[in-house]
Structures are given as C-alpha cells and as structure tokens.
Amino acid sequence: MTLEIQATLNTDDLTCIMFDMDNTLFDLVEAKIHACQEIVNYIGCGDALELFQYFRRPGYGFEDWNNIRDYILDMDVFSQSTYNECCKIYETEKLRAVSPYPNAISTIRELKKMGLKIAILTDAHSNNAKRRLEKTGFSQWLDALFCADITGSSKPSHQTFLFALEALDLQPCNTLFVGDSLRRDIAPSKALGMLTAYAAYGDRNNDTYKRSGTADPDVILNDISEVLDQFKPGKRV
C-alpha cells in the first residue's frame, strides 16, 4: 500500500537524522524467515512461518534462541546437538540473508554529504547490530550507534531516546527520527519534540496506516529515499 507524504518539514535547524535499524534500513523479518526455513529444512519437519511466529510471542524476545528450543521441543525432535546446530544455522543464515533496502545506502550517503550526523537507535543488542550493519555496509556512514544494552532501556521508553540525544548533545527539535513502528518509534520521539518520519515501507505489523493521535508522524515514507525530499536545494545551506 502506498501512503501519501505529509507536508514538507522545516528542516533548516536539523543537525541529525536518527534511524531505527531493523526493518527501517533493511528487512530483518525476511532474513529471519529465511533462517527459519533453513532450520525447518535441517530438522526435516515443521513450517518456517510457524517457527517465525515463536519469535513474536511475548516472553523471550525477538532474537532469543529459546524460541528455537521451544519449537524443536514441540516438533519432538529436540536433542542438545540438534538445538546447537539450529542456533548456528539461525545466526548464520539470518546474517547471510540481510541486505539494505533499495536506495538505503545512497540515501545515507547523501544525508552525510549535507553535513548531517547519522545515528542509529535500536533495541537490538550491540553485537547483533554491529554484525548486521557491517554486513549491509552502513557502518562506515554512522556517527553513533545506540543499542538496548548501551542505553539501558528499550523503545518505546523515552529514556532510550533521551540517552541518545544527551550523548550527541542534541536538542529534540534538531533531530529527525525515522522508524517503522508507530508505537515504538514515532510516538515516543514525537512526544519528546523530535521531527518524525514513519518508514511505512518497513512496517510489518500494520496493513493500513491509521491516524493515532500522538503517533501521527510528520512525514510518511514509502521509500527511504523520500527523506531526501525534505532537503530540496535551497531549503538547507
């Protein structure tokens, strides 16, 4: 579904673009489904999408290997060696499958050329984040990376956003946050006074954009490159 872009922002005072990572810069969901398929192939039973849903359950978390343990237990194929190999397959194949969204690298590069700081604020653990950013080629363009184990909290907590802002000596009004979740990215960053851009192209939880009060983004992006439309010649420097 294509969503209409909101009115052009006043970006004259922006000094930093802060991005969510997974499903904003690259499609982690598809990478995880690919990894789940390889696990199913290895154990010889089950369904990749069914296994993927185990990662979406409340409890362990979206990256926790205990989701794999539960699944192969439910499939009645558990052994310690099988579990160990499935975890290895999961991490190897997930990383192998992740790749930047179209136009993502070129967009980041253009923003850097404008003199903007580029930061990432993610709930991923720093070890996972660094591997994915290196694999996808984003690392060289970043000024800062903030992960849940660094900030000490997770989105949508305001504390994780405030930690990043303070570390970069930024005011919210000087920062644009780009993320794929209305609840976890857009609502808290907007509440703090940041400009917000909703990465609708990466939101795998909302089939239809609905107006939602404080979660209403300033801009809706159907492609990451549309961020650049906010910096037309003459609007900045």
Side-chain angles (χ1 to χ4, degrees):
M1 177 180 181
T2 299
L3 301 171
E4 184 179 352
I5 305 295
Q6 256 73 340
T8 304
L9 299 176
N10 180 359
T11 56
D12 294 343
D13 295 328
L14 282 183
T15 58
C16 178
I17 313 293
M18 195 175 294
F19 290 88
D20 172 52
M21 184 181 70
D22 298 326
N23 304 312
T24 296
L25 298 180
F26 45 77
D27 192 336
L28 182 64
V29 169
E30 283 303 316
K32 283 174 67 73
I33 292 173
H34 167 79
C36 289
Q37 183 61 60
E38 293 303 315
I39 290 174
V40 166
N41 292 345
Y42 175 73
I43 64 176
C45 61
D47 178 81
L49 292 178
E50 182 181 44
L51 172 54
F52 173 71
Q53 291 304 319
Y54 274 58
F55 286 92
R56 307 196 84 160
R57 301 174 303 170
Y60 295 130
F62 196 54
E63 295 280 14
D64 198 297
W65 291 353
N66 281 306
N67 295 299
I68 297 172
R69 178 187 294 273
D70 284 357
Y71 187 72
I72 61 177
L73 279 168
D74 289 346
M75 290 291 102
D76 199 26
V77 293
F78 180 84
S79 70
Q80 190 62 46
S81 61
T82 297
Y83 170 66
N84 292 344
E85 184 62 23
C86 285
C87 292
K88 180 180 177 181
I89 289 170
Y90 171 73
E91 291 298 336
T92 300
E93 294 300 327
K94 179 180 62 174
L95 188 61
R96 190 197 310 276
V98 73
S99 61
Y101 279 122
N103 305 314
I105 292 290
S106 60
T107 297
I108 299 295
R109 187 170 59 241
E110 288 303 310
L111 292 170
K112 285 287 289 183
K113 286 180 181 178
M114 296 176 193
L116 292 158
K117 288 183 179 179
I118 303 297
I120 287 179
L121 180 62
T122 175
D123 284 344
H125 190 280
S126 55
N127 287 338
N128 285 328
K130 289 174 182 177
R131 284 195 292 265
R132 293 204 275 269
L133 291 167
E134 187 66 28
K135 165 63 168 59
T136 51
F138 288 104
S139 295
Q140 62 180 311
W141 304 108
L142 302 182
D143 294 289
L145 169 63
F146 301 100
C147 303
D149 54 311
I150 295 172
T151 65
S153 57
S154 299
K155 296 181 283 187
S157 170
H158 287 188
Q159 186 57 43
T160 193
F161 294 86
L162 291 170
F163 183 102
L165 290 168
E166 182 176 354
L168 292 172
D169 194 24
L170 291 169
Q171 294 298 315
C173 61
N174 300 134
T175 309
L176 171 64
F177 196 89
V178 183
D180 66 288
S181 173
L182 291 169
R183 182 181 68 86
R184 297 173 62 253
D185 294 321
I186 302 305
S189 56
K190 185 167 185 178
L192 290 171
M194 302 166 75
L195 293 176
T196 57
Y198 168 47
Y201 57 85
D203 189 347
R204 305 295 291 266
N205 297 309
N206 291 276
D207 294 328
T208 303
Y209 170 68
K210 297 178 181 178
R211 297 187 65 81
S212 49
T214 58
D216 284 345
D218 296 302
V219 173
I220 299 173
L221 307 176
N222 295 298
D223 185 284
I224 192 171
S225 64
E226 291 171 356
V227 170
L228 298 174
D229 294 340
Q230 304 301 318
F231 301 94
K232 292 296 187 183
K235 286 197 62 187
R236 185 182 178 84
V237 301

